[in-house]
Amino acid sequence: MRLSNFFIPTQKEDPTDAVVASHILMIRSGMIKQLTSGVYSYLPLGYIVFRKIEQIIREEMNAIGGNEFLLPALSPNELWHETGRLEDYGDTMFRIKNRELVLAPTHEEVFTSIAKPNLVSYKDLPKMWYQIQTKFRNEARPRSGVLRGRQFTMKDAYSFDATWEGLDESYKDQDKAYKNIFTRCGLDFFSVTACSGAMGGSESEEFMVESNAGEDIVAISDNGSYSSNIEVAVSFKDKIGRKNSNLNYEEFHTPNVKSIDELADSLNLNDKSRLAKSRVFVDPSKDENAKDEYILVLVCGDDEVNETKLQNLVSLAIRPGHPEELLQVTGADAGSIGPIGLKNKNVRIVADHLLEDADELISGANKNDYHIKNIDLKRDVANIEYHDLRVVKDGELTFDKKSKIKITKAIEVGHIFKLGTKYAEALGALFLDKDGKENPIIMGSYGIGVERIAAAYIEQNHDKNGIIWSGEIAPFNVHLISVNANDENVRETSDKLYELLSNKSLDILYDDRVDVRPGFKFMDADLIGVPIQVIVGEKNLKDNNIEIKIRRTGERIIVGREQVIEKVNELLT
Ligand SMILES: Nc1ncnc2c1ncn2[C@@H]1O[C@H](COP(=O)(O)OP(=O)(O)O)[C@@H](O)[C@H]1O
Ligand SMILES: [Mg+2]
């Protein structure tokens, strides 16, 4: 590709609205351009990279027997209503105003609707179907460029099996394919146990790239035996236990105490574990005539409520109560809520396991500016349930006590689920088994974000000058620079090299621009980040030499003009 004829609008300055490296560098290197919040145009350079990633994904999907489809982005409301997801997706789904259509955020429903009339016997199973297609999600906070967009490309695959063992095999095949894909894309990745709640499945695994630009938080053990999304992570911790002092509970005045920290300060306490943190959540009723359910959640004062664990326990729709609701249900504002003396007697009370049967607790009195001390949950709070509801913290022991947990940020690049029969049941996708009995098809679903892989790669592979591509997803193998294209010898030598290198079936980006300063060309080359730069300059050429620069290390090698091809080949293998 001749740069004189290739649209790469590189920028010297960082865009003002970009924070993370991949976003900044994708804009600066002319890979993408924002159209509106969370929506990007893919410029020629970016599109080359995205297509290379798609090709790797395609090859690995085909290798496990995948059939490639292309389904429409538009799909009828009716279909989504049948599985309940028209309602469940809420505002994240884009809806068309003048037709009963949505822009699909994923394709379980549509694929299942194709399976339904076609996969009708155990003889038709198993099947592995996939597509690489544009998804639409009305993300509340699109950010970090293509890392979280409102329109993005996903490879989504769906397995259809007759047996649960079959599903295990399909899931294992995808797991293996994902590992191949991320390895071939040059990512340093790991997998974690994930939450499958929203999809309604049993087992699920996310593929993660450790990065500060990530929005996921993961718990990894030092010995590598445990890794989990924080949403479902567990650790080993002793219960805070009973002191058995048998003191009666009593209210005390706590003016201006609005938080656990302020409460601990006012009592001169370092250990906050017995300051029970109380939060009120609402599970909105699905039925207009039914009442919303209120849930009071108790955790130790130095812990946080894990909202995903709470969702898994209660319902996906559960949300924190609004200030007016808190007042109405408890009689107090957020800082003074507790399990004793709630205004509404029908509140469901759930506490974290660490508090099981604890006594001498301090919590809000459900009366502003008052707290209660010496609460004994066993004695004083009826119908309390205990569940694992806390967020695991850095430095805690793994559940098997063999290792320590580290908490870190990561980018989710892929996600695989065992869906089970949720979609087949909702849509009536049944098959006849060997005994002539009708059963719902057992499904799995497997997603990868194409642009997100590119962004995650850049997060892991860049320096202050730009991107550092390598391997299969590099947009080009060689960046050939004609330093001063006005010089006849330089131009002719470069042209010749371009031809020779292209004949070796390498992808060459050839900076043949005239009237562009050498410094500018070098800066562009480092910014775009092609692995090898072949620099044809007047000075070296006088001695019949050419310079090769390795982008990642900055190492420069001078070779005779006849040795260039050989050297480039050697460096690329
Ligand atoms: N808004 C987005 N922008 C870019 N890629 C996304 C976005 N949402 C999801 N992806 C990609 O698609 C894959 C599958 O998505 P999925 O697990 O359904 O999404 P989520 O975890 O956000 O609910 C993710 O692992 C990620 O790589
Ligand atoms: Mg996911």
Side-chain angles (χ1 to χ4, degrees):
M1 184 66 69
R2 284 176 182 267
L3 236 171
S4 58
N5 182 39
F6 191 52
F7 180 66
I8 309 187
T10 55
Q11 290 178 25
K12 213 169 146 193
E13 304 296 333
D14 286 353
T16 50
D17 59 343
V19 182
V20 304
S22 58
H23 186 190
I24 294 172
L25 291 172
M26 278 192 178
I27 302 274
R28 282 194 52 210
S29 66
M31 288 177 69
I32 57 169
K33 186 176 187 324
Q34 182 177 309
L35 180 61
T36 184
S37 178
V39 182
Y40 289 84
S41 301
Y42 304 154
L43 309 185
L45 180 68
Y47 195 40
I48 289 176
V49 173
F50 300 151
R51 269 190 321 204
K52 289 201 170 187
I53 295 170
E54 288 180 15
Q55 188 52 29
I56 292 171
I57 296 173
R58 184 172 284 120
E59 284 168 19
E60 295 298 334
M61 286 297 111
N62 293 345
I64 57 166
N67 286 187
E68 187 169 5
F69 287 59
L70 185 61
L71 305 188
L74 287 172
S75 68
N77 287 3
E78 177 56 30
L79 184 59
W80 292 81
H81 176 65
E82 280 183 60
T83 58
R85 289 214 293 184
L86 189 65
E87 296 73 21
D88 285 352
Y89 251 106
D91 202 39
T92 313
M93 185 131 78
F94 280 108
R95 293 165 186 240
I96 307 293
K97 267 196 174 157
N98 57 347
R99 291 263 175 216
E100 294 287 297
L101 295 170
V102 299
L103 283 171
T106 176
H107 279 84
E108 280 77 12
E109 280 80 356
V110 185
F111 266 109
T112 310
S113 78
I114 296 173
K116 181 176 170 173
N118 291 296
L119 308 180
V120 294
S121 153
Y122 71 94
K123 290 181 204 150
D124 300 323
L125 301 170
K127 286 279 178 285
M128 183 65 80
W129 291 351
Y130 78 99
Q131 64 172 341
I132 300 171
Q133 188 261 7
T134 306
K135 297 281 181 277
F136 297 86
R137 292 184 182 182
N138 186 23
E139 300 281 359
R141 282 178 303 280
R143 54 177 288 261
S144 311
V146 295
L147 270 176
R148 182 169 294 282
R150 288 197 164 124
Q151 167 173 348
F152 59 96
T153 317
M154 196 201 287
K155 183 287 298 176
D156 46 326
Y158 304 85
S159 62
F160 300 88
D161 277 281
T163 62
W164 292 94
E165 295 74 39
L167 171 62
D168 291 345
E169 286 306 310
S170 301
Y171 186 86
K172 259 190 242 152
D173 282 350
Q174 283 286 348
D175 181 72
K176 192 182 75 196
Y178 272 46
K179 287 177 177 147
N180 290 344
I181 291 165
F182 298 128
T183 304
R184 286 179 64 185
C185 289
L187 293 181
D188 186 3
F189 69 97
F190 57 96
S191 63
V192 300
T193 310
C195 172
S196 51
M199 296 293 274
S202 53
E203 195 178 338
S204 129
E205 198 183 351
E206 284 166 335
F207 293 84
M208 294 286 184
V209 166
E210 193 171 350
S211 164
N212 269 331
E215 290 183 30
D216 279 82
I217 299 176
V218 293
I220 318 173
S221 71
D222 289 344
N223 67 2
S225 69
Y226 180 74
S227 58
S228 171
N229 194 309
I230 193 86
E231 293 179 338
V232 289
V234 291
S235 65
F236 175 82
K237 238 190 144 193
D238 284 318
K239 290 185 181 141
I240 64 165
R242 295 182 68 77
K243 295 193 170 181
N244 283 320
S245 49
N246 248 329
L247 296 165
N248 283 333
Y249 71 75
E250 67 183 280
E251 203 173 273
F252 63 107
H253 194 41
T254 49
N256 301 321
V257 168
K258 302 267 182 270
S259 67
I260 297 283
D261 284 345
E262 286 167 2
L263 183 61
D265 282 349
S266 75
L267 300 170
N268 258 326
L269 280 178
N270 281 329
D271 178 7
K272 297 177 202 154
S273 58
R274 276 175 201 274
L275 308 180
K277 185 180 284 179
S278 305
R279 291 187 61 195
V280 172
F281 288 83
V282 184
D283 183 16
S285 74
K286 289 216 168 76
D287 179 348
E288 267 177 40
N289 303 317
K291 283 197 181 131
D292 294 345
E293 201 195 346
Y294 295 97
I295 297 108
L296 179 83
V297 184
L298 292 171
V299 293
C300 292
D302 47 3
D303 275 337
E304 296 299 333
V305 175
N306 184 322
E307 296 192 14
T308 308
K309 290 181 182 176
L310 192 61
Q311 277 184 346
N312 291 339
L313 176 71
V314 183
S315 95
L316 278 177
I318 197 166
R319 59 162 175 82
H322 304 313
E324 326 80 72
E325 288 170 323
L326 301 194
L327 201 60
Q328 202 191 327
V329 171
T330 70
D333 296 326
S336 306
I337 291 172
I340 292 179
L342 288 158
K343 216 162 136 187
N344 178 333
K345 300 295 170 215
N346 294 323
V347 175
R348 176 176 175 191
I349 302 178
V350 297
D352 181 69
H353 268 314
L354 296 190
L355 287 170
E356 200 156 353
D357 299 337
D359 60 359
E360 282 195 40
L361 298 180
I362 301 178
S363 196
N366 295 315
K367 188 163 129 192
N368 279 352
D369 296 334
Y370 285 88
H371 278 76
I372 295 178
K373 62 182 172 189
N374 301 326
I375 300 172
D376 181 339
L377 291 180
K378 203 169 177 176
R379 180 192 65 192
D380 304 327
V381 185
N383 297 327
I384 183 166
E385 305 160 37
Y386 297 95
H387 301 276
D388 172 25
L389 292 169
R390 63 188 290 274
V391 179
V392 165
K393 289 192 291 223
D394 194 76
E396 288 178 356
L397 284 178
T398 49
F399 202 71
D400 64 8
K401 297 191 244 179
K402 287 192 178 143
S403 184
K404 261 207 185 131
I405 287 175
K406 177 180 93 165
I407 305 289
T408 183
K409 280 168 117 185
I411 300 169
E412 176 204 321
V413 284
H415 198 167
I416 60 177
F417 291 91
K418 287 185 182 172
L419 291 177
T421 55
K422 173 178 167 172
Y423 296 90
E425 274 177 45
L427 298 171
L430 309 172
F431 73 99
L432 287 178
D433 67 17
K434 278 193 177 122
D435 307 320
K437 236 183 85 211
E438 232 175 22
N439 287 307
I441 304 175
I442 302 167
M443 291 172 57
S445 136
Y446 316 90
I448 278 189
V450 173
E451 300 87 343
R452 201 182 272 190
I453 289 182
Y457 176 90
I458 295 172
E459 289 297 332
Q460 290 189 324
N461 296 277
H462 69 270
D463 62 16
K464 64 179 192 331
N465 297 324
I467 303 171
I468 303 171
W469 293 112
S470 60
E472 286 191 66
I473 68 169
F476 297 96
N477 307 113
V478 176
H479 191 132
L480 173 65
I481 302 169
S482 165
V483 177
N484 176 5
N486 296 327
D487 180 283
E488 202 172 313
N489 192 14
V490 168
R491 191 178 61 245
E492 273 170 16
T493 308
S494 308
D495 279 351
K496 187 86 201 130
L497 269 176
Y498 179 49
E499 203 187 306
L500 287 171
L501 286 164
S502 301
N503 286 344
K504 293 277 169 198
S505 67
L506 292 173
D507 293 329
I508 317 297
L509 181 62
Y510 174 23
D511 193 345
D512 61 339
R513 293 175 295 181
V514 288
D515 302 328
V516 173
R517 277 185 294 114
F520 201 83
K521 289 189 173 185
F522 297 143
M523 257 176 10
D524 266 359
D526 278 359
L527 176 61
I528 294 167
V530 174
I532 291 174
Q533 298 171 13
V534 172
I535 303 164
V536 184
E538 277 166 282
K539 236 165 79 201
N540 280 320
L541 216 49
K542 281 206 183 97
D543 304 324
N544 253 332
N545 284 334
I546 279 165
E547 187 179 48
I548 293 178
K549 178 179 159 185
I550 300 167
R551 172 64 182 94
R552 190 176 291 276
T553 59
E555 188 192 346
R556 290 168 190 275
I557 308 161
I558 305 288
V559 293
R561 60 197 286 177
E562 307 305 328
Q563 278 84 55
V564 174
I565 307 280
E566 199 182 320
K567 191 71 195 170
V568 164
N569 270 323
E570 180 193 315
L571 290 170
L572 282 174
T573 46

